[in-house]
Amino acid sequence: MHSLWYHFALLIGAAVVIYLSCETFVNGVEWVGRKLVVGQKATGSILAAFGTALPESVVTLVAVAFGGSMAAKQLGVGAALGGPLALATIAYATVGVGLLLCRRQLPRTPEICADFRGLARDQGWFLLIFAAKIALGLVAFAWKPWLGILFLAAYALYIRQEMGGDACHEEEGETEPLAFARHAAVPGTGIALFQTLLALGVIFFASRLFVSQLAALGPTLGLEPQLLALLLSPIATELPETMNAIIWVRQGKYRLALANISGSMMIQATIPTAFGLFWTPWLLGAPLLLAGAVTAVAITGMFLAFRAGLVSRWLLASMGLLYLLFAGLLIVLDLG
């Protein structure tokens, strides 16, 4: 049996590998977005979000479709609720804290204001889909699994809307030379795609290592499995999106950072939910309902702020307090 320090060292090592891989991934995906001429918002909300959320969706699929026990299926359902919670609180807070540490303000350019309105629309659609997702977890009926198709269709419509948006906005900052072709002024599509997919593969395996070490540390720290899944696992599974946000904020590319979070949330609201509906009863207990309530509060706040154009670094940073509130209520109410 390995020691506590062994698992802790692997945990930190995996986090470092994820960060470095995300550096390579965001560099590659920006060039892929340029090659496809989809604009920075769609690059963040579709290409980057789909890439970093794909491993988590696969994990949910494996848990609910091939899990050998009800506990495994419950963990898959928990992941479908924990992911949006982490994105709505920790990921947005990461952008805010990053801005504070860099002593930067969100610019108020016409492009950013237009993006705020688009993000408000995204948050509004997320709230509607998320409300349906929670409501279905309160009732049981025979044809519920078929409703999973509607969630997949909702994400397909989101992709169509984002990819068909205006790609002519002025880009934030300069696109750095492709890491795998630094001497090429305009790298080829093949090498940009290869770099992006390779980095994504490393992120996937490093994320799995991170989660496994977190699971090994849980019993040592005295955390019950369900409490571990609700409190810490979402942080681990959303680590790539959070790392992407840190990198893009550091580069001054706020549009990409915010769009990546918004796009990831749309994936988490639809695809894992569809998998859960297909292969589980999709009935939510008290801890998951609490997670859903805190997520809804967070997104309602962001929807109103984006719509009014009042998003600031302090508001974004404060979203992390809602995650601490969730953790406190979970422990105080003994729901774990």
Side-chain angles (χ1 to χ4, degrees), residues 56 60 76-92 123 126-127 129-130 133-134 234-235 237-238 241 261-262 264-273 282 288 291-292 294-299 302 319 323:
E56 301 145 25
T60 302
V77 173
L81 268 295
L85 171 66
L87 287 168
T89 55
I90 295 172
Y92 275 131
Q123 307 299 297
F126 174 86
L127 274 175
I129 295 170
F130 194 74
K133 169 179 180 170
I134 297 300
I235 299 177
T237 56
E238 304 306 330
E241 288 88 344
I261 295 171
S262 179
S264 297
M265 289 178 61
M266 287 299 294
I267 293 176
Q268 294 293 340
T270 54
I271 296 179
T273 304
W282 192 259
L288 296 180
V294 174
T295 303
V297 170
I299 296 304
M302 292 307 303
M319 301 306 291
Y323 190 81

mmCIF file of all heavy atoms in Angstrom, residues 56 60 76-92 123 126-127 129-130 133-134 234-235 237-238 241 261-262 264-273 282 288 291-292 294-299 302 319 323:
data_model
loop_
_atom_site.group_PDB
_atom_site.id
_atom_site.type_symbol
_atom_site.label_atom_id
_atom_site.label_comp_id
_atom_site.label_asym_id
_atom_site.label_seq_id
_atom_site.Cartn_x
_atom_site.Cartn_y
_atom_site.Cartn_z
ATOM 1 N N GLU A 56 -14.521 13.620 -19.861
ATOM 2 C CA GLU A 56 -15.469 13.511 -18.748
ATOM 3 C C GLU A 56 -16.760 12.829 -19.197
ATOM 4 O O GLU A 56 -17.347 12.025 -18.459
ATOM 5 C CB GLU A 56 -15.772 14.908 -18.201
ATOM 6 C CG GLU A 56 -14.543 15.654 -17.707
ATOM 7 C CD GLU A 56 -14.643 17.135 -17.971
ATOM 8 O OE1 GLU A 56 -15.767 17.633 -18.069
ATOM 9 O OE2 GLU A 56 -13.594 17.786 -18.081
ATOM 10 N N THR A 60 -18.450 9.344 -17.803
ATOM 11 C CA THR A 60 -19.851 9.194 -17.405
ATOM 12 C C THR A 60 -20.513 8.059 -18.170
ATOM 13 O O THR A 60 -21.258 7.251 -17.602
ATOM 14 C CB THR A 60 -20.619 10.508 -17.656
ATOM 15 O OG1 THR A 60 -20.005 11.568 -16.927
ATOM 16 C CG2 THR A 60 -22.071 10.370 -17.217
ATOM 17 N N GLY A 76 -21.781 7.969 -11.784
ATOM 18 C CA GLY A 76 -21.933 8.577 -13.102
ATOM 19 C C GLY A 76 -22.962 9.691 -13.089
ATOM 20 O O GLY A 76 -22.759 10.758 -13.671
ATOM 21 N N VAL A 77 -24.084 9.465 -12.398
ATOM 22 C CA VAL A 77 -25.115 10.495 -12.273
ATOM 23 C C VAL A 77 -24.576 11.674 -11.476
ATOM 24 O O VAL A 77 -24.822 12.842 -11.808
ATOM 25 C CB VAL A 77 -26.382 9.922 -11.606
ATOM 26 C CG1 VAL A 77 -27.392 11.028 -11.320
ATOM 27 C CG2 VAL A 77 -27.006 8.853 -12.498
ATOM 28 N N GLY A 78 -23.796 11.376 -10.429
ATOM 29 C CA GLY A 78 -23.190 12.436 -9.635
ATOM 30 C C GLY A 78 -22.254 13.302 -10.460
ATOM 31 O O GLY A 78 -22.224 14.525 -10.306
ATOM 32 N N ALA A 79 -21.509 12.673 -11.365
ATOM 33 C CA ALA A 79 -20.605 13.429 -12.230
ATOM 34 C C ALA A 79 -21.381 14.366 -13.147
ATOM 35 O O ALA A 79 -20.931 15.466 -13.462
ATOM 36 C CB ALA A 79 -19.754 12.475 -13.054
ATOM 37 N N ALA A 80 -22.568 13.922 -13.583
ATOM 38 C CA ALA A 80 -23.384 14.752 -14.470
ATOM 39 C C ALA A 80 -23.912 15.995 -13.760
ATOM 40 O O ALA A 80 -24.220 17.001 -14.402
ATOM 41 C CB ALA A 80 -24.553 13.936 -15.022
ATOM 42 N N LEU A 81 -24.021 15.950 -12.428
ATOM 43 C CA LEU A 81 -24.453 17.104 -11.650
ATOM 44 C C LEU A 81 -23.266 17.891 -11.107
ATOM 45 O O LEU A 81 -23.318 19.122 -10.998
ATOM 46 C CB LEU A 81 -25.342 16.656 -10.478
ATOM 47 C CG LEU A 81 -26.854 16.603 -10.682
ATOM 48 C CD1 LEU A 81 -27.418 17.985 -10.915
ATOM 49 C CD2 LEU A 81 -27.243 15.664 -11.786
ATOM 50 N N GLY A 82 -22.197 17.195 -10.750
ATOM 51 C CA GLY A 82 -21.040 17.864 -10.161
ATOM 52 C C GLY A 82 -20.271 18.708 -11.162
ATOM 53 O O GLY A 82 -19.721 19.755 -10.803
ATOM 54 N N GLY A 83 -20.233 18.276 -12.435
ATOM 55 C CA GLY A 83 -19.517 19.030 -13.448
ATOM 56 C C GLY A 83 -20.041 20.444 -13.628
ATOM 57 O O GLY A 83 -19.279 21.416 -13.539
ATOM 58 N N PRO A 84 -21.347 20.620 -13.876
ATOM 59 C CA PRO A 84 -21.887 21.978 -14.008
ATOM 60 C C PRO A 84 -21.675 22.825 -12.754
ATOM 61 O O PRO A 84 -21.443 24.033 -12.853
ATOM 62 C CB PRO A 84 -23.381 21.731 -14.255
ATOM 63 C CG PRO A 84 -23.443 20.382 -14.884
ATOM 64 C CD PRO A 84 -22.349 19.588 -14.218
ATOM 65 N N LEU A 85 -21.751 22.200 -11.576
ATOM 66 C CA LEU A 85 -21.529 22.946 -10.336
ATOM 67 C C LEU A 85 -20.118 23.517 -10.295
ATOM 68 O O LEU A 85 -19.915 24.700 -9.979
ATOM 69 C CB LEU A 85 -21.761 22.029 -9.131
ATOM 70 C CG LEU A 85 -21.359 22.605 -7.765
ATOM 71 C CD1 LEU A 85 -22.248 23.792 -7.412
ATOM 72 C CD2 LEU A 85 -21.449 21.536 -6.686
ATOM 73 N N ALA A 86 -19.118 22.687 -10.614
ATOM 74 C CA ALA A 86 -17.735 23.145 -10.585
ATOM 75 C C ALA A 86 -17.493 24.236 -11.623
ATOM 76 O O ALA A 86 -16.781 25.214 -11.368
ATOM 77 C CB ALA A 86 -16.791 21.964 -10.820
ATOM 78 N N LEU A 87 -18.073 24.089 -12.810
ATOM 79 C CA LEU A 87 -17.878 25.089 -13.856
ATOM 80 C C LEU A 87 -18.539 26.416 -13.486
ATOM 81 O O LEU A 87 -17.958 27.489 -13.699
ATOM 82 C CB LEU A 87 -18.459 24.573 -15.180
ATOM 83 C CG LEU A 87 -17.660 23.471 -15.868
ATOM 84 C CD1 LEU A 87 -18.478 22.852 -16.996
ATOM 85 C CD2 LEU A 87 -16.349 24.016 -16.424
ATOM 86 N N ALA A 88 -19.764 26.347 -12.927
ATOM 87 C CA ALA A 88 -20.505 27.567 -12.602
ATOM 88 C C ALA A 88 -19.898 28.329 -11.437
ATOM 89 O O ALA A 88 -20.150 29.540 -11.294
ATOM 90 C CB ALA A 88 -21.960 27.214 -12.274
ATOM 91 N N THR A 89 -19.113 27.674 -10.627
ATOM 92 C CA THR A 89 -18.544 28.329 -9.440
ATOM 93 C C THR A 89 -17.023 28.452 -9.546
ATOM 94 O O THR A 89 -16.483 29.544 -9.663
ATOM 95 C CB THR A 89 -18.926 27.549 -8.169
ATOM 96 O OG1 THR A 89 -18.513 26.174 -8.304
ATOM 97 C CG2 THR A 89 -20.427 27.588 -7.940
ATOM 98 N N ILE A 90 -16.327 27.325 -9.534
ATOM 99 C CA ILE A 90 -14.864 27.345 -9.483
ATOM 100 C C ILE A 90 -14.255 27.887 -10.770
ATOM 101 O O ILE A 90 -13.307 28.685 -10.733
ATOM 102 C CB ILE A 90 -14.329 25.936 -9.172
ATOM 103 C CG1 ILE A 90 -14.765 25.517 -7.778
ATOM 104 C CG2 ILE A 90 -12.802 25.899 -9.274
ATOM 105 C CD1 ILE A 90 -14.463 24.089 -7.438
ATOM 106 N N ALA A 91 -14.766 27.461 -11.932
ATOM 107 C CA ALA A 91 -14.167 27.906 -13.197
ATOM 108 C C ALA A 91 -14.334 29.414 -13.388
ATOM 109 O O ALA A 91 -13.381 30.109 -13.760
ATOM 110 C CB ALA A 91 -14.787 27.138 -14.363
ATOM 111 N N TYR A 92 -15.549 29.922 -13.136
ATOM 112 C CA TYR A 92 -15.742 31.371 -13.248
ATOM 113 C C TYR A 92 -14.895 32.106 -12.219
ATOM 114 O O TYR A 92 -14.320 33.170 -12.497
ATOM 115 C CB TYR A 92 -17.215 31.732 -13.072
ATOM 116 C CG TYR A 92 -18.028 31.630 -14.334
ATOM 117 C CD1 TYR A 92 -19.241 30.948 -14.361
ATOM 118 C CD2 TYR A 92 -17.597 32.223 -15.513
ATOM 119 C CE1 TYR A 92 -19.991 30.850 -15.521
ATOM 120 C CE2 TYR A 92 -18.335 32.135 -16.682
ATOM 121 C CZ TYR A 92 -19.534 31.448 -16.677
ATOM 122 O OH TYR A 92 -20.271 31.362 -17.840
ATOM 123 N N GLN A 123 -26.357 31.237 -21.023
ATOM 124 C CA GLN A 123 -26.726 30.942 -19.639
ATOM 125 C C GLN A 123 -28.229 30.712 -19.501
ATOM 126 O O GLN A 123 -28.674 29.863 -18.728
ATOM 127 C CB GLN A 123 -26.298 32.084 -18.703
ATOM 128 C CG GLN A 123 -24.835 32.493 -18.797
ATOM 129 C CD GLN A 123 -23.878 31.386 -18.442
ATOM 130 O OE1 GLN A 123 -23.849 30.901 -17.325
ATOM 131 N NE2 GLN A 123 -23.070 30.969 -19.401
ATOM 132 N N PHE A 126 -28.957 27.320 -20.825
ATOM 133 C CA PHE A 126 -28.468 26.344 -19.856
ATOM 134 C C PHE A 126 -29.454 26.195 -18.704
ATOM 135 O O PHE A 126 -29.744 25.076 -18.263
ATOM 136 C CB PHE A 126 -27.102 26.774 -19.314
ATOM 137 C CG PHE A 126 -26.593 25.883 -18.204
ATOM 138 C CD1 PHE A 126 -25.879 24.731 -18.492
ATOM 139 C CD2 PHE A 126 -26.838 26.188 -16.876
ATOM 140 C CE1 PHE A 126 -25.410 23.910 -17.485
ATOM 141 C CE2 PHE A 126 -26.385 25.374 -15.857
ATOM 142 C CZ PHE A 126 -25.674 24.227 -16.166
ATOM 143 N N LEU A 127 -29.976 27.328 -18.208
ATOM 144 C CA LEU A 127 -30.922 27.270 -17.092
ATOM 145 C C LEU A 127 -32.166 26.468 -17.454
ATOM 146 O O LEU A 127 -32.660 25.665 -16.642
ATOM 147 C CB LEU A 127 -31.315 28.686 -16.667
ATOM 148 C CG LEU A 127 -30.399 29.382 -15.664
ATOM 149 C CD1 LEU A 127 -30.849 30.820 -15.446
ATOM 150 C CD2 LEU A 127 -30.368 28.629 -14.341
ATOM 151 N N ILE A 129 -32.457 24.089 -19.797
ATOM 152 C CA ILE A 129 -32.092 22.676 -19.931
ATOM 153 C C ILE A 129 -31.804 22.071 -18.560
ATOM 154 O O ILE A 129 -32.222 20.939 -18.267
ATOM 155 C CB ILE A 129 -30.871 22.533 -20.864
ATOM 156 C CG1 ILE A 129 -31.239 22.977 -22.275
ATOM 157 C CG2 ILE A 129 -30.358 21.097 -20.871
ATOM 158 C CD1 ILE A 129 -30.053 23.091 -23.212
ATOM 159 N N PHE A 130 -31.119 22.840 -17.720
ATOM 160 C CA PHE A 130 -30.763 22.341 -16.392
ATOM 161 C C PHE A 130 -32.010 22.132 -15.539
ATOM 162 O O PHE A 130 -32.097 21.161 -14.776
ATOM 163 C CB PHE A 130 -29.807 23.322 -15.711
ATOM 164 C CG PHE A 130 -29.127 22.770 -14.499
ATOM 165 C CD1 PHE A 130 -28.098 21.842 -14.618
ATOM 166 C CD2 PHE A 130 -29.500 23.170 -13.227
ATOM 167 C CE1 PHE A 130 -27.462 21.332 -13.502
ATOM 168 C CE2 PHE A 130 -28.870 22.662 -12.111
ATOM 169 C CZ PHE A 130 -27.853 21.737 -12.240
ATOM 170 N N LYS A 133 -33.535 18.988 -16.567
ATOM 171 C CA LYS A 133 -32.678 17.906 -16.077
ATOM 172 C C LYS A 133 -32.985 17.581 -14.614
ATOM 173 O O LYS A 133 -33.100 16.409 -14.243
ATOM 174 C CB LYS A 133 -31.231 18.364 -16.259
ATOM 175 C CG LYS A 133 -30.157 17.537 -15.604
ATOM 176 C CD LYS A 133 -28.796 18.170 -15.950
ATOM 177 C CE LYS A 133 -27.652 17.394 -15.341
ATOM 178 N NZ LYS A 133 -26.344 17.866 -15.859
ATOM 179 N N ILE A 134 -33.138 18.616 -13.794
ATOM 180 C CA ILE A 134 -33.451 18.413 -12.376
ATOM 181 C C ILE A 134 -34.876 17.892 -12.204
ATOM 182 O O ILE A 134 -35.135 16.981 -11.402
ATOM 183 C CB ILE A 134 -33.261 19.719 -11.587
ATOM 184 C CG1 ILE A 134 -31.796 20.173 -11.637
ATOM 185 C CG2 ILE A 134 -33.702 19.540 -10.132
ATOM 186 C CD1 ILE A 134 -30.813 19.196 -11.053
ATOM 187 N N PRO A 234 -15.541 16.705 -8.868
ATOM 188 C CA PRO A 234 -15.846 17.694 -9.905
ATOM 189 C C PRO A 234 -14.692 18.655 -10.161
ATOM 190 O O PRO A 234 -14.462 19.072 -11.299
ATOM 191 C CB PRO A 234 -17.066 18.436 -9.338
ATOM 192 C CG PRO A 234 -17.713 17.451 -8.437
ATOM 193 C CD PRO A 234 -16.577 16.693 -7.807
ATOM 194 N N ILE A 235 -13.961 19.015 -9.094
ATOM 195 C CA ILE A 235 -12.809 19.897 -9.280
ATOM 196 C C ILE A 235 -11.788 19.219 -10.172
ATOM 197 O O ILE A 235 -11.194 19.832 -11.064
ATOM 198 C CB ILE A 235 -12.183 20.252 -7.921
ATOM 199 C CG1 ILE A 235 -13.203 20.992 -7.039
ATOM 200 C CG2 ILE A 235 -10.933 21.108 -8.108
ATOM 201 C CD1 ILE A 235 -12.688 21.302 -5.655
ATOM 202 N N THR A 237 -12.306 16.692 -12.398
ATOM 203 C CA THR A 237 -12.760 16.447 -13.771
ATOM 204 C C THR A 237 -12.858 17.730 -14.590
ATOM 205 O O THR A 237 -12.762 17.687 -15.821
ATOM 206 C CB THR A 237 -14.121 15.731 -13.779
ATOM 207 O OG1 THR A 237 -15.065 16.496 -13.026
ATOM 208 C CG2 THR A 237 -14.005 14.343 -13.172
ATOM 209 N N GLU A 238 -13.050 18.862 -13.930
ATOM 210 C CA GLU A 238 -13.118 20.134 -14.652
ATOM 211 C C GLU A 238 -11.775 20.860 -14.651
ATOM 212 O O GLU A 238 -11.697 22.032 -15.050
ATOM 213 C CB GLU A 238 -14.202 21.046 -14.037
ATOM 214 C CG GLU A 238 -15.585 20.445 -13.958
ATOM 215 C CD GLU A 238 -16.090 19.935 -15.302
ATOM 216 O OE1 GLU A 238 -15.699 20.506 -16.334
ATOM 217 O OE2 GLU A 238 -16.852 18.954 -15.325
ATOM 218 N N GLU A 241 -10.632 22.510 -18.119
ATOM 219 C CA GLU A 241 -11.307 23.766 -18.436
ATOM 220 C C GLU A 241 -10.784 24.910 -17.573
ATOM 221 O O GLU A 241 -10.598 26.036 -18.052
ATOM 222 C CB GLU A 241 -12.824 23.626 -18.224
ATOM 223 C CG GLU A 241 -13.522 22.785 -19.267
ATOM 224 C CD GLU A 241 -13.542 21.304 -18.926
ATOM 225 O OE1 GLU A 241 -12.782 20.876 -18.052
ATOM 226 O OE2 GLU A 241 -14.315 20.566 -19.556
ATOM 227 N N ILE A 261 -15.769 28.169 -20.798
ATOM 228 C CA ILE A 261 -16.568 27.762 -19.636
ATOM 229 C C ILE A 261 -18.026 27.594 -20.033
ATOM 230 O O ILE A 261 -18.679 26.593 -19.699
ATOM 231 C CB ILE A 261 -16.436 28.792 -18.499
ATOM 232 C CG1 ILE A 261 -14.991 28.834 -17.986
ATOM 233 C CG2 ILE A 261 -17.390 28.450 -17.349
ATOM 234 C CD1 ILE A 261 -14.725 29.967 -17.018
ATOM 235 N N SER A 262 -18.559 28.571 -20.768
ATOM 236 C CA SER A 262 -19.960 28.515 -21.188
ATOM 237 C C SER A 262 -20.236 27.293 -22.052
ATOM 238 O O SER A 262 -21.226 26.577 -21.864
ATOM 239 C CB SER A 262 -20.317 29.795 -21.944
ATOM 240 O OG SER A 262 -21.649 29.764 -22.390
ATOM 241 N N SER A 264 -18.489 24.486 -22.192
ATOM 242 C CA SER A 264 -18.343 23.270 -21.383
ATOM 243 C C SER A 264 -19.595 23.011 -20.561
ATOM 244 O O SER A 264 -20.015 21.864 -20.384
ATOM 245 C CB SER A 264 -17.121 23.385 -20.468
ATOM 246 O OG SER A 264 -15.928 23.492 -21.218
ATOM 247 N N MET A 265 -20.208 24.086 -20.066
ATOM 248 C CA MET A 265 -21.433 23.933 -19.279
ATOM 249 C C MET A 265 -22.567 23.384 -20.132
ATOM 250 O O MET A 265 -23.366 22.565 -19.664
ATOM 251 C CB MET A 265 -21.822 25.270 -18.665
ATOM 252 C CG MET A 265 -20.887 25.708 -17.549
ATOM 253 S SD MET A 265 -21.328 27.313 -16.888
ATOM 254 C CE MET A 265 -22.955 26.958 -16.281
ATOM 255 N N MET A 266 -22.649 23.827 -21.392
ATOM 256 C CA MET A 266 -23.701 23.312 -22.265
ATOM 257 C C MET A 266 -23.511 21.820 -22.531
ATOM 258 O O MET A 266 -24.480 21.060 -22.590
ATOM 259 C CB MET A 266 -23.711 24.089 -23.578
ATOM 260 C CG MET A 266 -24.253 25.503 -23.453
ATOM 261 S SD MET A 266 -25.972 25.565 -22.871
ATOM 262 C CE MET A 266 -26.815 24.812 -24.259
ATOM 263 N N ILE A 267 -22.242 21.408 -22.682
ATOM 264 C CA ILE A 267 -21.984 19.977 -22.851
ATOM 265 C C ILE A 267 -22.406 19.217 -21.606
ATOM 266 O O ILE A 267 -23.096 18.187 -21.680
ATOM 267 C CB ILE A 267 -20.490 19.736 -23.143
ATOM 268 C CG1 ILE A 267 -20.113 20.310 -24.503
ATOM 269 C CG2 ILE A 267 -20.173 18.236 -23.107
ATOM 270 C CD1 ILE A 267 -18.647 20.199 -24.830
ATOM 271 N N GLN A 268 -22.003 19.720 -20.431
ATOM 272 C CA GLN A 268 -22.304 19.025 -19.184
ATOM 273 C C GLN A 268 -23.801 18.982 -18.902
ATOM 274 O O GLN A 268 -24.280 18.084 -18.204
ATOM 275 C CB GLN A 268 -21.578 19.705 -18.014
ATOM 276 C CG GLN A 268 -20.067 19.604 -18.065
ATOM 277 C CD GLN A 268 -19.581 18.183 -17.877
ATOM 278 O OE1 GLN A 268 -20.284 17.334 -17.357
ATOM 279 N NE2 GLN A 268 -18.369 17.911 -18.312
ATOM 280 N N ALA A 269 -24.539 19.936 -19.430
ATOM 281 C CA ALA A 269 -25.995 19.959 -19.207
ATOM 282 C C ALA A 269 -26.736 18.990 -20.105
ATOM 283 O O ALA A 269 -27.886 18.646 -19.823
ATOM 284 C CB ALA A 269 -26.534 21.374 -19.431
ATOM 285 N N THR A 270 -26.096 18.534 -21.181
ATOM 286 C CA THR A 270 -26.818 17.754 -22.182
ATOM 287 C C THR A 270 -26.292 16.327 -22.355
ATOM 288 O O THR A 270 -27.016 15.359 -22.119
ATOM 289 C CB THR A 270 -26.781 18.485 -23.537
ATOM 290 O OG1 THR A 270 -25.418 18.778 -23.891
ATOM 291 C CG2 THR A 270 -27.565 19.785 -23.479
ATOM 292 N N ILE A 271 -25.033 16.183 -22.751
ATOM 293 C CA ILE A 271 -24.525 14.857 -23.118
ATOM 294 C C ILE A 271 -24.482 13.885 -21.935
ATOM 295 O O ILE A 271 -25.038 12.782 -22.026
ATOM 296 C CB ILE A 271 -23.152 14.983 -23.808
ATOM 297 C CG1 ILE A 271 -23.315 15.747 -25.129
ATOM 298 C CG2 ILE A 271 -22.537 13.602 -24.061
ATOM 299 C CD1 ILE A 271 -22.036 15.966 -25.885
ATOM 300 N N PRO A 272 -23.850 14.234 -20.796
ATOM 301 C CA PRO A 272 -23.880 13.298 -19.663
ATOM 302 C C PRO A 272 -25.299 13.016 -19.172
ATOM 303 O O PRO A 272 -25.601 11.902 -18.735
ATOM 304 C CB PRO A 272 -23.048 14.008 -18.576
ATOM 305 C CG PRO A 272 -22.163 14.942 -19.334
ATOM 306 C CD PRO A 272 -23.006 15.406 -20.478
ATOM 307 N N THR A 273 -26.178 14.029 -19.261
ATOM 308 C CA THR A 273 -27.570 13.824 -18.857
ATOM 309 C C THR A 273 -28.248 12.799 -19.759
ATOM 310 O O THR A 273 -28.989 11.927 -19.282
ATOM 311 C CB THR A 273 -28.338 15.154 -18.923
ATOM 312 O OG1 THR A 273 -27.676 16.127 -18.127
ATOM 313 C CG2 THR A 273 -29.771 14.968 -18.422
ATOM 314 N N TRP A 282 -32.305 7.738 -13.313
ATOM 315 C CA TRP A 282 -32.177 9.195 -13.209
ATOM 316 C C TRP A 282 -33.102 9.767 -12.125
ATOM 317 O O TRP A 282 -33.986 10.592 -12.376
ATOM 318 C CB TRP A 282 -32.437 9.883 -14.546
ATOM 319 C CG TRP A 282 -32.021 11.333 -14.535
ATOM 320 C CD1 TRP A 282 -32.817 12.428 -14.397
ATOM 321 C CD2 TRP A 282 -30.670 11.835 -14.628
ATOM 322 N NE1 TRP A 282 -32.072 13.585 -14.397
ATOM 323 C CE2 TRP A 282 -30.746 13.246 -14.542
ATOM 324 C CE3 TRP A 282 -29.422 11.238 -14.775
ATOM 325 C CZ2 TRP A 282 -29.619 14.062 -14.602
ATOM 326 C CZ3 TRP A 282 -28.300 12.039 -14.839
ATOM 327 C CH2 TRP A 282 -28.400 13.433 -14.755
ATOM 328 N N LEU A 288 -27.523 15.599 -4.520
ATOM 329 C CA LEU A 288 -27.514 16.047 -5.903
ATOM 330 C C LEU A 288 -28.508 17.182 -6.136
ATOM 331 O O LEU A 288 -28.254 18.082 -6.940
ATOM 332 C CB LEU A 288 -27.834 14.873 -6.832
ATOM 333 C CG LEU A 288 -26.805 13.733 -6.818
ATOM 334 C CD1 LEU A 288 -27.230 12.627 -7.766
ATOM 335 C CD2 LEU A 288 -25.432 14.247 -7.194
ATOM 336 N N ALA A 291 -26.754 20.239 -4.963
ATOM 337 C CA ALA A 291 -25.799 20.664 -5.989
ATOM 338 C C ALA A 291 -26.515 21.378 -7.128
ATOM 339 O O ALA A 291 -26.047 22.406 -7.638
ATOM 340 C CB ALA A 291 -25.030 19.455 -6.527
ATOM 341 N N GLY A 292 -27.687 20.841 -7.517
ATOM 342 C CA GLY A 292 -28.461 21.468 -8.578
ATOM 343 C C GLY A 292 -28.952 22.854 -8.192
ATOM 344 O O GLY A 292 -28.928 23.778 -8.999
ATOM 345 N N VAL A 294 -27.603 24.990 -5.973
ATOM 346 C CA VAL A 294 -26.479 25.939 -5.930
ATOM 347 C C VAL A 294 -26.047 26.304 -7.351
ATOM 348 O O VAL A 294 -25.751 27.466 -7.644
ATOM 349 C CB VAL A 294 -25.304 25.351 -5.127
ATOM 350 C CG1 VAL A 294 -24.078 26.260 -5.209
ATOM 351 C CG2 VAL A 294 -25.696 25.147 -3.666
ATOM 352 N N THR A 295 -26.030 25.320 -8.245
ATOM 353 C CA THR A 295 -25.685 25.593 -9.641
ATOM 354 C C THR A 295 -26.673 26.568 -10.261
ATOM 355 O O THR A 295 -26.279 27.511 -10.966
ATOM 356 C CB THR A 295 -25.671 24.289 -10.465
ATOM 357 O OG1 THR A 295 -24.751 23.370 -9.879
ATOM 358 C CG2 THR A 295 -25.264 24.557 -11.897
ATOM 359 N N ALA A 296 -27.962 26.362 -10.001
ATOM 360 C CA ALA A 296 -28.989 27.242 -10.565
ATOM 361 C C ALA A 296 -28.833 28.671 -10.049
ATOM 362 O O ALA A 296 -28.990 29.636 -10.812
ATOM 363 C CB ALA A 296 -30.377 26.701 -10.222
ATOM 364 N N VAL A 297 -28.515 28.814 -8.767
ATOM 365 C CA VAL A 297 -28.293 30.151 -8.201
ATOM 366 C C VAL A 297 -27.109 30.830 -8.886
ATOM 367 O O VAL A 297 -27.170 32.010 -9.265
ATOM 368 C CB VAL A 297 -28.063 30.060 -6.684
ATOM 369 C CG1 VAL A 297 -27.582 31.406 -6.124
ATOM 370 C CG2 VAL A 297 -29.342 29.631 -5.968
ATOM 371 N N ALA A 298 -26.014 30.077 -9.051
ATOM 372 C CA ALA A 298 -24.814 30.632 -9.678
ATOM 373 C C ALA A 298 -25.096 31.085 -11.109
ATOM 374 O O ALA A 298 -24.714 32.191 -11.519
ATOM 375 C CB ALA A 298 -23.685 29.605 -9.651
ATOM 376 N N ILE A 299 -25.771 30.243 -11.879
ATOM 377 C CA ILE A 299 -26.017 30.571 -13.283
ATOM 378 C C ILE A 299 -27.036 31.693 -13.426
ATOM 379 O O ILE A 299 -26.933 32.533 -14.331
ATOM 380 C CB ILE A 299 -26.478 29.321 -14.051
ATOM 381 C CG1 ILE A 299 -25.356 28.298 -14.051
ATOM 382 C CG2 ILE A 299 -26.844 29.673 -15.476
ATOM 383 C CD1 ILE A 299 -24.049 28.810 -14.621
ATOM 384 N N MET A 302 -25.040 34.795 -13.016
ATOM 385 C CA MET A 302 -24.225 35.090 -14.191
ATOM 386 C C MET A 302 -25.092 35.523 -15.372
ATOM 387 O O MET A 302 -24.702 36.401 -16.145
ATOM 388 C CB MET A 302 -23.396 33.859 -14.578
ATOM 389 C CG MET A 302 -22.302 33.497 -13.579
ATOM 390 S SD MET A 302 -21.196 34.875 -13.172
ATOM 391 C CE MET A 302 -20.587 35.317 -14.785
ATOM 392 N N MET A 319 -17.885 33.926 -7.281
ATOM 393 C CA MET A 319 -18.637 32.708 -7.567
ATOM 394 C C MET A 319 -18.068 31.511 -6.812
ATOM 395 O O MET A 319 -18.771 30.544 -6.523
ATOM 396 C CB MET A 319 -18.637 32.420 -9.069
ATOM 397 C CG MET A 319 -19.231 33.531 -9.926
ATOM 398 S SD MET A 319 -20.897 34.019 -9.415
ATOM 399 C CE MET A 319 -21.798 32.560 -9.866
ATOM 400 N N TYR A 323 -19.436 27.672 -4.116
ATOM 401 C CA TYR A 323 -18.964 26.291 -3.967
ATOM 402 C C TYR A 323 -18.651 25.996 -2.505
ATOM 403 O O TYR A 323 -18.949 24.910 -1.999
ATOM 404 C CB TYR A 323 -17.721 26.056 -4.829
ATOM 405 C CG TYR A 323 -17.346 24.591 -4.902
ATOM 406 C CD1 TYR A 323 -18.007 23.738 -5.771
ATOM 407 C CD2 TYR A 323 -16.365 24.051 -4.065
ATOM 408 C CE1 TYR A 323 -17.695 22.389 -5.833
ATOM 409 C CE2 TYR A 323 -16.044 22.707 -4.115
ATOM 410 C CZ TYR A 323 -16.708 21.888 -5.006
ATOM 411 O OH TYR A 323 -16.403 20.546 -5.052
#
